[in-house]
Amino acid sequence: MVRPLPAPPDVLEQHFHALLRERTGRCFEEIEHLLPPLSPLTEGPAVQIVFRVVGMMGGFTYRLGEDVLEVHHQLAWSPKGLLRVRSDRGVWLLPPSLALWIPAALPHATESAGDAVMRSAYVAPACCPHIDWPEPTVLAVTPLLRALIDHLARTDLAAGARTRAEAVLLDELHPVPVTSVSAPAPRDPHARTVAERLTADPADGRTLASWGTEAGTSARTLARLFVAETGLAFGQWRERLRMQAAMPHLAAGLPIEAVARRVGYATASSFTAAFHRLVGVTPRQYFPLDDRGTS
């Protein structure tokens, strides 16, 4: 199917403001001066703003303005593609089966490579006093939650209907035992050289002694630098990096055996065990085969 050309940015902005003025919901109200501004776009497909609750299409990096951060919680979700949310609290990679509740006042950026869709609801804390999660919280996206987000994307809902749907949506937010997988980048030039090489090839299984030779330092110095600058031992850091590298492949539906080899594991079982230990669920629980964002 031929994709239509994206509208010029000024047309999209006018369309956004028109939709914004039509919104009547109380808890999910977007006020014009609280519009989340876009940062300069990274290279990739053209970005299209589609306000459902809040939405974007295409490869993008998306950052919130301080005014929104101060007063709204965010429910970030993508029905297609893989979202990556970064903050100083961690990094979360979200397939369509998962969403992330981001507390108000937490600076963060949302990224996606290639075609993706992001739908976000910005929720006034006064509307959800029962939700007191102080940290970003991963949530299960049930069929009901999907339907509610689609329903609330409409601009023709009566105020009463919207209020009732919002209340049900807030009751349908269920945390899942998934942790962030963050591999902080070291700053020291020697450790950074190793980190960059492994980022380019996560399957590289060289020892610290071998990496020290390449980076021009000793294994002991490298080990100390990784702990001091990332908070992780080298082996722990590399394992987290491998999990990050594996997730886009899993999201694309590659067999676990193939993903394991690409990121440095000899067998699917060893990769699955490491994934479960670090992330909290198995790869197929995180990326169900029947839920790869094709809707």
PDB file of all heavy atoms in Angstrom, residues 2-26:
ATOM      1  N   VAL A   2       0.566   2.210  -0.849  1.00  0.00           N
ATOM      2  CA  VAL A   2       1.356   3.428  -0.950  1.00  0.00           C
ATOM      3  C   VAL A   2       1.035   4.333   0.227  1.00  0.00           C
ATOM      4  O   VAL A   2      -0.127   4.609   0.522  1.00  0.00           O
ATOM      5  CB  VAL A   2       1.057   4.162  -2.273  1.00  0.00           C
ATOM      6  CG1 VAL A   2       1.843   5.472  -2.340  1.00  0.00           C
ATOM      7  CG2 VAL A   2       1.402   3.273  -3.452  1.00  0.00           C
ATOM      8  N   ARG A   3       2.074   4.767   0.931  1.00  0.00           N
ATOM      9  CA  ARG A   3       1.871   5.656   2.070  1.00  0.00           C
ATOM     10  C   ARG A   3       1.740   7.088   1.584  1.00  0.00           C
ATOM     11  O   ARG A   3       2.522   7.541   0.744  1.00  0.00           O
ATOM     12  CB  ARG A   3       3.037   5.556   3.049  1.00  0.00           C
ATOM     13  CG  ARG A   3       3.163   4.226   3.712  1.00  0.00           C
ATOM     14  CD  ARG A   3       4.354   4.198   4.639  1.00  0.00           C
ATOM     15  NE  ARG A   3       4.222   5.213   5.684  1.00  0.00           N
ATOM     16  CZ  ARG A   3       5.155   5.417   6.603  1.00  0.00           C
ATOM     17  NH1 ARG A   3       6.255   4.715   6.624  1.00  0.00           N
ATOM     18  NH2 ARG A   3       4.974   6.342   7.530  1.00  0.00           N
ATOM     19  N   PRO A   4       0.744   7.852   2.101  1.00  0.00           N
ATOM     20  CA  PRO A   4       0.616   9.250   1.688  1.00  0.00           C
ATOM     21  C   PRO A   4       1.796  10.062   2.172  1.00  0.00           C
ATOM     22  O   PRO A   4       2.416   9.763   3.184  1.00  0.00           O
ATOM     23  CB  PRO A   4      -0.677   9.691   2.392  1.00  0.00           C
ATOM     24  CG  PRO A   4      -0.811   8.776   3.555  1.00  0.00           C
ATOM     25  CD  PRO A   4      -0.240   7.454   3.089  1.00  0.00           C
ATOM     26  N   LEU A   5       2.103  11.107   1.420  1.00  0.00           N
ATOM     27  CA  LEU A   5       3.174  12.002   1.842  1.00  0.00           C
ATOM     28  C   LEU A   5       2.771  12.729   3.106  1.00  0.00           C
ATOM     29  O   LEU A   5       1.605  13.105   3.280  1.00  0.00           O
ATOM     30  CB  LEU A   5       3.472  13.021   0.732  1.00  0.00           C
ATOM     31  CG  LEU A   5       4.097  12.456  -0.542  1.00  0.00           C
ATOM     32  CD1 LEU A   5       4.183  13.541  -1.598  1.00  0.00           C
ATOM     33  CD2 LEU A   5       5.470  11.874  -0.257  1.00  0.00           C
ATOM     34  N   PRO A   6       3.715  12.928   4.034  1.00  0.00           N
ATOM     35  CA  PRO A   6       3.371  13.643   5.259  1.00  0.00           C
ATOM     36  C   PRO A   6       3.026  15.093   4.982  1.00  0.00           C
ATOM     37  O   PRO A   6       3.561  15.720   4.067  1.00  0.00           O
ATOM     38  CB  PRO A   6       4.649  13.538   6.099  1.00  0.00           C
ATOM     39  CG  PRO A   6       5.737  13.317   5.113  1.00  0.00           C
ATOM     40  CD  PRO A   6       5.127  12.516   4.003  1.00  0.00           C
ATOM     41  N   ALA A   7       2.099  15.634   5.760  1.00  0.00           N
ATOM     42  CA  ALA A   7       1.727  17.032   5.621  1.00  0.00           C
ATOM     43  C   ALA A   7       2.864  17.918   6.111  1.00  0.00           C
ATOM     44  O   ALA A   7       3.666  17.509   6.940  1.00  0.00           O
ATOM     45  CB  ALA A   7       0.468  17.309   6.423  1.00  0.00           C
ATOM     46  N   PRO A   8       2.950  19.141   5.583  1.00  0.00           N
ATOM     47  CA  PRO A   8       3.981  20.066   6.067  1.00  0.00           C
ATOM     48  C   PRO A   8       3.799  20.327   7.560  1.00  0.00           C
ATOM     49  O   PRO A   8       2.688  20.266   8.086  1.00  0.00           O
ATOM     50  CB  PRO A   8       3.722  21.340   5.242  1.00  0.00           C
ATOM     51  CG  PRO A   8       2.944  20.887   4.062  1.00  0.00           C
ATOM     52  CD  PRO A   8       2.139  19.722   4.516  1.00  0.00           C
ATOM     53  N   PRO A   9       4.894  20.637   8.276  1.00  0.00           N
ATOM     54  CA  PRO A   9       4.809  20.843   9.720  1.00  0.00           C
ATOM     55  C   PRO A   9       3.789  21.889  10.131  1.00  0.00           C
ATOM     56  O   PRO A   9       3.112  21.736  11.142  1.00  0.00           O
ATOM     57  CB  PRO A   9       6.233  21.260  10.096  1.00  0.00           C
ATOM     58  CG  PRO A   9       7.095  20.671   9.024  1.00  0.00           C
ATOM     59  CD  PRO A   9       6.275  20.724   7.776  1.00  0.00           C
ATOM     60  N   ASP A  10       3.659  23.015   9.349  1.00  0.00           N
ATOM     61  CA  ASP A  10       2.714  24.046   9.763  1.00  0.00           C
ATOM     62  C   ASP A  10       1.276  23.556   9.657  1.00  0.00           C
ATOM     63  O   ASP A  10       0.419  23.886  10.485  1.00  0.00           O
ATOM     64  CB  ASP A  10       2.915  25.313   8.930  1.00  0.00           C
ATOM     65  CG  ASP A  10       2.788  25.048   7.439  1.00  0.00           C
ATOM     66  OD1 ASP A  10       2.992  23.890   7.029  1.00  0.00           O
ATOM     67  OD2 ASP A  10       2.491  25.998   6.698  1.00  0.00           O
ATOM     68  N   VAL A  11       0.978  22.699   8.670  1.00  0.00           N
ATOM     69  CA  VAL A  11      -0.358  22.136   8.542  1.00  0.00           C
ATOM     70  C   VAL A  11      -0.640  21.192   9.694  1.00  0.00           C
ATOM     71  O   VAL A  11      -1.725  21.194  10.285  1.00  0.00           O
ATOM     72  CB  VAL A  11      -0.511  21.412   7.192  1.00  0.00           C
ATOM     73  CG1 VAL A  11      -1.858  20.699   7.125  1.00  0.00           C
ATOM     74  CG2 VAL A  11      -0.361  22.399   6.049  1.00  0.00           C
ATOM     75  N   LEU A  12       0.359  20.363  10.047  1.00  0.00           N
ATOM     76  CA  LEU A  12       0.186  19.440  11.161  1.00  0.00           C
ATOM     77  C   LEU A  12      -0.040  20.194  12.459  1.00  0.00           C
ATOM     78  O   LEU A  12      -0.871  19.807  13.288  1.00  0.00           O
ATOM     79  CB  LEU A  12       1.424  18.549  11.289  1.00  0.00           C
ATOM     80  CG  LEU A  12       1.646  17.566  10.151  1.00  0.00           C
ATOM     81  CD1 LEU A  12       2.966  16.841  10.348  1.00  0.00           C
ATOM     82  CD2 LEU A  12       0.508  16.566  10.067  1.00  0.00           C
ATOM     83  N   GLU A  13       0.696  21.307  12.647  1.00  0.00           N
ATOM     84  CA  GLU A  13       0.528  22.072  13.872  1.00  0.00           C
ATOM     85  C   GLU A  13      -0.867  22.677  13.942  1.00  0.00           C
ATOM     86  O   GLU A  13      -1.519  22.665  14.994  1.00  0.00           O
ATOM     87  CB  GLU A  13       1.583  23.163  13.952  1.00  0.00           C
ATOM     88  CG  GLU A  13       1.524  23.942  15.271  1.00  0.00           C
ATOM     89  CD  GLU A  13       2.674  24.911  15.411  1.00  0.00           C
ATOM     90  OE1 GLU A  13       3.566  24.883  14.562  1.00  0.00           O
ATOM     91  OE2 GLU A  13       2.644  25.703  16.367  1.00  0.00           O
ATOM     92  N   GLN A  14      -1.383  23.190  12.811  1.00  0.00           N
ATOM     93  CA  GLN A  14      -2.735  23.734  12.801  1.00  0.00           C
ATOM     94  C   GLN A  14      -3.760  22.631  13.110  1.00  0.00           C
ATOM     95  O   GLN A  14      -4.725  22.844  13.848  1.00  0.00           O
ATOM     96  CB  GLN A  14      -3.032  24.354  11.434  1.00  0.00           C
ATOM     97  CG  GLN A  14      -2.224  25.609  11.150  1.00  0.00           C
ATOM     98  CD  GLN A  14      -2.354  26.043   9.704  1.00  0.00           C
ATOM     99  OE1 GLN A  14      -3.254  25.604   8.993  1.00  0.00           O
ATOM    100  NE2 GLN A  14      -1.455  26.907   9.252  1.00  0.00           N
ATOM    101  N   HIS A  15      -3.522  21.433  12.528  1.00  0.00           N
ATOM    102  CA  HIS A  15      -4.429  20.311  12.779  1.00  0.00           C
ATOM    103  C   HIS A  15      -4.399  19.938  14.256  1.00  0.00           C
ATOM    104  O   HIS A  15      -5.453  19.690  14.864  1.00  0.00           O
ATOM    105  CB  HIS A  15      -4.011  19.116  11.924  1.00  0.00           C
ATOM    106  CG  HIS A  15      -4.843  17.899  12.130  1.00  0.00           C
ATOM    107  ND1 HIS A  15      -6.189  17.874  11.863  1.00  0.00           N
ATOM    108  CD2 HIS A  15      -4.518  16.664  12.582  1.00  0.00           C
ATOM    109  CE1 HIS A  15      -6.667  16.671  12.131  1.00  0.00           C
ATOM    110  NE2 HIS A  15      -5.673  15.914  12.577  1.00  0.00           N
ATOM    111  N   PHE A  16      -3.223  19.920  14.845  1.00  0.00           N
ATOM    112  CA  PHE A  16      -3.114  19.593  16.263  1.00  0.00           C
ATOM    113  C   PHE A  16      -3.895  20.582  17.120  1.00  0.00           C
ATOM    114  O   PHE A  16      -4.664  20.223  18.000  1.00  0.00           O
ATOM    115  CB  PHE A  16      -1.650  19.595  16.709  1.00  0.00           C
ATOM    116  CG  PHE A  16      -1.492  19.782  18.190  1.00  0.00           C
ATOM    117  CD1 PHE A  16      -1.847  18.773  19.059  1.00  0.00           C
ATOM    118  CD2 PHE A  16      -1.053  20.985  18.697  1.00  0.00           C
ATOM    119  CE1 PHE A  16      -1.738  18.956  20.419  1.00  0.00           C
ATOM    120  CE2 PHE A  16      -0.940  21.175  20.051  1.00  0.00           C
ATOM    121  CZ  PHE A  16      -1.281  20.155  20.914  1.00  0.00           C
ATOM    122  N   HIS A  17      -3.714  21.885  16.861  1.00  0.00           N
ATOM    123  CA  HIS A  17      -4.394  22.879  17.679  1.00  0.00           C
ATOM    124  C   HIS A  17      -5.903  22.795  17.496  1.00  0.00           C
ATOM    125  O   HIS A  17      -6.661  23.011  18.450  1.00  0.00           O
ATOM    126  CB  HIS A  17      -3.872  24.271  17.356  1.00  0.00           C
ATOM    127  CG  HIS A  17      -2.510  24.540  17.918  1.00  0.00           C
ATOM    128  ND1 HIS A  17      -2.278  24.634  19.269  1.00  0.00           N
ATOM    129  CD2 HIS A  17      -1.304  24.712  17.330  1.00  0.00           C
ATOM    130  CE1 HIS A  17      -1.000  24.870  19.486  1.00  0.00           C
ATOM    131  NE2 HIS A  17      -0.385  24.903  18.330  1.00  0.00           N
ATOM    132  N   ALA A  18      -6.351  22.472  16.284  1.00  0.00           N
ATOM    133  CA  ALA A  18      -7.792  22.319  16.070  1.00  0.00           C
ATOM    134  C   ALA A  18      -8.340  21.164  16.904  1.00  0.00           C
ATOM    135  O   ALA A  18      -9.387  21.282  17.546  1.00  0.00           O
ATOM    136  CB  ALA A  18      -8.073  22.087  14.586  1.00  0.00           C
ATOM    137  N   LEU A  19      -7.622  20.036  16.881  1.00  0.00           N
ATOM    138  CA  LEU A  19      -8.055  18.902  17.688  1.00  0.00           C
ATOM    139  C   LEU A  19      -8.001  19.237  19.173  1.00  0.00           C
ATOM    140  O   LEU A  19      -8.867  18.847  19.954  1.00  0.00           O
ATOM    141  CB  LEU A  19      -7.175  17.685  17.401  1.00  0.00           C
ATOM    142  CG  LEU A  19      -7.358  17.018  16.043  1.00  0.00           C
ATOM    143  CD1 LEU A  19      -6.371  15.863  15.911  1.00  0.00           C
ATOM    144  CD2 LEU A  19      -8.770  16.511  15.866  1.00  0.00           C
ATOM    145  N   LEU A  20      -6.971  19.957  19.558  1.00  0.00           N
ATOM    146  CA  LEU A  20      -6.792  20.305  20.965  1.00  0.00           C
ATOM    147  C   LEU A  20      -7.974  21.114  21.476  1.00  0.00           C
ATOM    148  O   LEU A  20      -8.498  20.885  22.568  1.00  0.00           O
ATOM    149  CB  LEU A  20      -5.490  21.100  21.118  1.00  0.00           C
ATOM    150  CG  LEU A  20      -4.943  21.318  22.518  1.00  0.00           C
ATOM    151  CD1 LEU A  20      -4.622  19.988  23.169  1.00  0.00           C
ATOM    152  CD2 LEU A  20      -3.710  22.185  22.445  1.00  0.00           C
ATOM    153  N   ARG A  21      -8.434  22.068  20.671  1.00  0.00           N
ATOM    154  CA  ARG A  21      -9.546  22.920  21.103  1.00  0.00           C
ATOM    155  C   ARG A  21     -10.846  22.137  21.197  1.00  0.00           C
ATOM    156  O   ARG A  21     -11.765  22.545  21.906  1.00  0.00           O
ATOM    157  CB  ARG A  21      -9.686  24.105  20.138  1.00  0.00           C
ATOM    158  CG  ARG A  21      -8.589  25.153  20.311  1.00  0.00           C
ATOM    159  CD  ARG A  21      -8.898  26.398  19.500  1.00  0.00           C
ATOM    160  NE  ARG A  21      -8.783  26.143  18.077  1.00  0.00           N
ATOM    161  CZ  ARG A  21      -7.659  26.292  17.390  1.00  0.00           C
ATOM    162  NH1 ARG A  21      -6.555  26.675  18.004  1.00  0.00           N
ATOM    163  NH2 ARG A  21      -7.622  26.048  16.100  1.00  0.00           N
ATOM    164  N   GLU A  22     -10.933  21.005  20.464  1.00  0.00           N
ATOM    165  CA  GLU A  22     -12.157  20.206  20.504  1.00  0.00           C
ATOM    166  C   GLU A  22     -12.253  19.334  21.749  1.00  0.00           C
ATOM    167  O   GLU A  22     -13.327  18.847  22.072  1.00  0.00           O
ATOM    168  CB  GLU A  22     -12.226  19.297  19.262  1.00  0.00           C
ATOM    169  CG  GLU A  22     -12.439  20.058  17.975  1.00  0.00           C
ATOM    170  CD  GLU A  22     -12.367  19.121  16.782  1.00  0.00           C
ATOM    171  OE1 GLU A  22     -12.427  17.887  16.996  1.00  0.00           O
ATOM    172  OE2 GLU A  22     -12.256  19.612  15.653  1.00  0.00           O
ATOM    173  N   ARG A  23     -11.114  19.104  22.417  1.00  0.00           N
ATOM    174  CA  ARG A  23     -11.107  18.189  23.551  1.00  0.00           C
ATOM    175  C   ARG A  23     -11.879  18.760  24.731  1.00  0.00           C
ATOM    176  O   ARG A  23     -11.765  19.927  25.063  1.00  0.00           O
ATOM    177  CB  ARG A  23      -9.671  17.896  23.998  1.00  0.00           C
ATOM    178  CG  ARG A  23      -8.877  17.097  22.992  1.00  0.00           C
ATOM    179  CD  ARG A  23      -9.518  15.726  22.763  1.00  0.00           C
ATOM    180  NE  ARG A  23      -9.678  15.016  24.014  1.00  0.00           N
ATOM    181  CZ  ARG A  23      -8.700  14.322  24.600  1.00  0.00           C
ATOM    182  NH1 ARG A  23      -7.530  14.233  24.041  1.00  0.00           N
ATOM    183  NH2 ARG A  23      -8.917  13.708  25.746  1.00  0.00           N
ATOM    184  N   THR A  24     -12.704  17.930  25.362  1.00  0.00           N
ATOM    185  CA  THR A  24     -13.533  18.388  26.478  1.00  0.00           C
ATOM    186  C   THR A  24     -13.274  17.594  27.743  1.00  0.00           C
ATOM    187  O   THR A  24     -13.885  17.849  28.770  1.00  0.00           O
ATOM    188  CB  THR A  24     -15.020  18.266  26.121  1.00  0.00           C
ATOM    189  OG1 THR A  24     -15.307  16.903  25.797  1.00  0.00           O
ATOM    190  CG2 THR A  24     -15.367  19.160  24.950  1.00  0.00           C
ATOM    191  N   GLY A  25     -12.411  16.565  27.701  1.00  0.00           N
ATOM    192  CA  GLY A  25     -12.192  15.731  28.871  1.00  0.00           C
ATOM    193  C   GLY A  25     -11.581  16.519  30.021  1.00  0.00           C
ATOM    194  O   GLY A  25     -10.836  17.470  29.817  1.00  0.00           O
ATOM    195  N   ARG A  26     -11.907  16.109  31.232  1.00  0.00           N
ATOM    196  CA  ARG A  26     -11.426  16.789  32.424  1.00  0.00           C
ATOM    197  C   ARG A  26     -10.055  16.255  32.827  1.00  0.00           C
ATOM    198  O   ARG A  26      -9.085  16.979  32.913  1.00  0.00           O
ATOM    199  CB  ARG A  26     -12.427  16.609  33.567  1.00  0.00           C
ATOM    200  CG  ARG A  26     -11.996  17.254  34.860  1.00  0.00           C
ATOM    201  CD  ARG A  26     -13.103  17.121  35.890  1.00  0.00           C
ATOM    202  NE  ARG A  26     -13.439  15.716  36.101  1.00  0.00           N
ATOM    203  CZ  ARG A  26     -12.794  14.917  36.957  1.00  0.00           C
ATOM    204  NH1 ARG A  26     -11.791  15.386  37.660  1.00  0.00           N
ATOM    205  NH2 ARG A  26     -13.147  13.659  37.107  1.00  0.00           N
TER     206      ARG A  26
END
